[in-house]
Amino acid sequence: MTDTGKISRLRYEEGCLGAHALNFIGDRWALLVVRELMFAPKRFQMIRAGLPGVTASVLTQRLTQLVQAGVVAHDDVLGLYALTDAGRALHPLLRELCRWALVMPGHDPRKFISISALMISISATVDSAGAAGSPLRAGFVSGKEGFEVALSTDGMPRVRAARAPAADFVLEGSGNALAAAVYGPGPVALASAGLIALRGDRSAAQQFTALFRLAPQTRSSSESPEVTEQAPGDSST
């Protein structure tokens, strides 16, 4: 177990489990660092490339804190940062944050999107009923990063890092261009406009991306959260 006495800046002196979790991952950029490492180990500069708004000093601080917390492991010889089991267990939390964001106003998809962010978001935006049992396999490449995406029997995307994806089709471009291919006009239109590269089965690419949209999705019964209800008129203030 992690020695919490060694964790930098314990901020919440509460017995609440949520507050306890935020002592580890609640600082600005911490969860986004986890996002960038969710599918593969990376060196410092590659992590920073996925977080263009963070300074080198702040990223160093966050990585140090996450290593101390047992969320990230650092290989001093190879210079690689990788998530521990505790870090990888945050994937559902990131997915649920994306789902929550879908009902909140003000999202601007024109702002920077890393390919790792896109790979997280597709789990929150998939039409799982329509995707269930689909044999389609997609490939995504952006710069030095690549991913293969298959669909499980319950319709959830299964993402695997792969520099050279083996798939029915491969889309290549910036994170924002790939997001536009998934959520916007579609890959064929963007490829025809020269905004992305599309290799492989164009029909499969259209079918696959049609399974995702930036709108709240119906959950499968296996992942429906427990419902709580506040009594009318009750207030904690």
Side-chain angles (χ1 to χ4, degrees):
M1 179 178 293
T2 301
D3 181 357
T4 56
K6 296 181 180 179
I7 303 304
S8 300
R9 296 178 58 227
L10 284 175
R11 298 171 304 159
Y12 303 111
E13 296 295 337
E14 295 189 13
C16 165
L17 285 171
H20 179 60
L22 289 174
N23 283 331
F24 296 91
I25 58 170
D27 282 306
R28 189 181 183 198
W29 298 107
L31 274 177
L32 300 188
V33 171
V34 171
R35 180 198 73 196
E36 290 303 304
L37 292 172
M38 185 55 65
F39 304 107
K42 295 180 181 179
R43 292 185 173 86
F44 184 91
Q45 290 301 332
M46 183 169 280
I47 299 170
R48 194 177 177 194
L51 301 167
V54 72
T55 65
S57 61
V58 169
L59 180 55
T60 298
Q61 292 170 11
R62 293 298 170 268
L63 285 166
T64 299
Q65 290 171 339
L66 291 168
V67 168
Q68 289 177 348
V71 175
V72 170
H74 182 222
D75 187 319
D76 293 323
V77 175
L78 298 177
L80 287 171
Y81 292 90
L83 293 184
T84 63
D85 289 344
R88 286 187 291 274
L90 290 168
H91 184 278
L93 175 60
L94 290 168
R95 180 190 67 211
E96 291 306 314
L97 281 173
C98 290
R99 281 179 170 158
W100 184 73
L102 289 171
V103 302
M104 302 301 291
H107 173 241
D108 186 353
R110 296 170 298 179
K111 294 180 179 180
F112 176 83
I113 301 171
S114 73
I115 189 172
S116 293
L118 177 60
M119 293 299 101
I120 294 287
S121 77
I122 60 175
S123 294
T125 58
V126 64
D127 172 9
S128 56
S134 171
L136 294 175
R137 185 177 295 270
F140 294 88
V141 175
S142 183
K144 296 180 180 180
E145 295 186 77
F147 298 92
E148 291 177 5
V149 183
L151 298 167
S152 67
T153 55
D154 61 355
M156 294 302 295
R158 297 292 180 257
V159 179
R160 185 178 75 86
R163 288 286 297 274
D168 298 309
F169 65 91
V170 176
L171 305 180
E172 184 170 1
S174 69
N176 287 73
L178 293 174
V182 173
Y183 299 125
V188 172
L190 291 184
S192 298
L195 299 176
I196 62 168
L198 169 55
R199 302 188 297 274
D201 189 331
R202 292 193 163 212
S203 176
Q206 288 292 118
Q207 292 176 48
F208 183 89
T209 56
L211 296 170
F212 304 87
R213 57 192 179 94
L214 287 177
Q217 303 297 309
T218 302
R219 298 171 184 266
S220 67
S221 59
S222 62
E223 59 170 349
S224 295
E226 182 179 350
V227 176
T228 61
E229 183 175 331
Q230 184 175 8
D234 279 5
S235 173
S236 59
T237 60

